[in-house]
Amino acid sequence: MENNNTIQEPAEEKKPSKWKSLVKKFGIGGIIFFTVKGIITSTLIYFLGKNFWTVISNYFSTMFE
């Protein structure tokens, strides 16, 4: 005779969303703070890196005149 027992498959475990874990850890204010901080930092790095050697050379050239 056939065995009609059902095999229970393990339930798929859902991984908690990365956003949900960040909100739980830092809160909404923390996420807004870190986002604004990242935008400001990347903007400063972009513009300072673009003109870095010009600013440094002008500084030293005026210093030794």
Side-chain angles (χ1 to χ4, degrees):
M1 295 190 88
E2 291 180 20
N3 191 357
N4 289 334
N5 290 339
T6 58
I7 300 172
Q8 292 182 354
E9 296 178 6
E12 291 182 22
E13 292 182 19
K14 285 190 175 181
K15 253 183 145 178
S17 173
K18 190 172 185 178
W19 283 106
K20 284 185 181 179
S21 65
L22 286 174
V23 169
K24 196 175 195 180
K25 189 173 184 179
F26 298 114
I28 299 290
I31 293 190
I32 292 171
F33 170 76
F34 286 118
T35 304
V36 171
K37 180 182 169 190
I39 291 169
I40 291 171
T41 304
S42 57
T43 305
L44 286 174
I45 288 171
Y46 174 75
F47 285 113
L48 289 177
K50 198 173 179 182
N51 300 319
F52 179 74
W53 291 113
T54 310
V55 170
I56 296 297
S57 63
N58 287 340
Y59 175 74
F60 283 112
S61 65
T62 57
M63 194 166 114
F64 291 118
E65 283 182 355

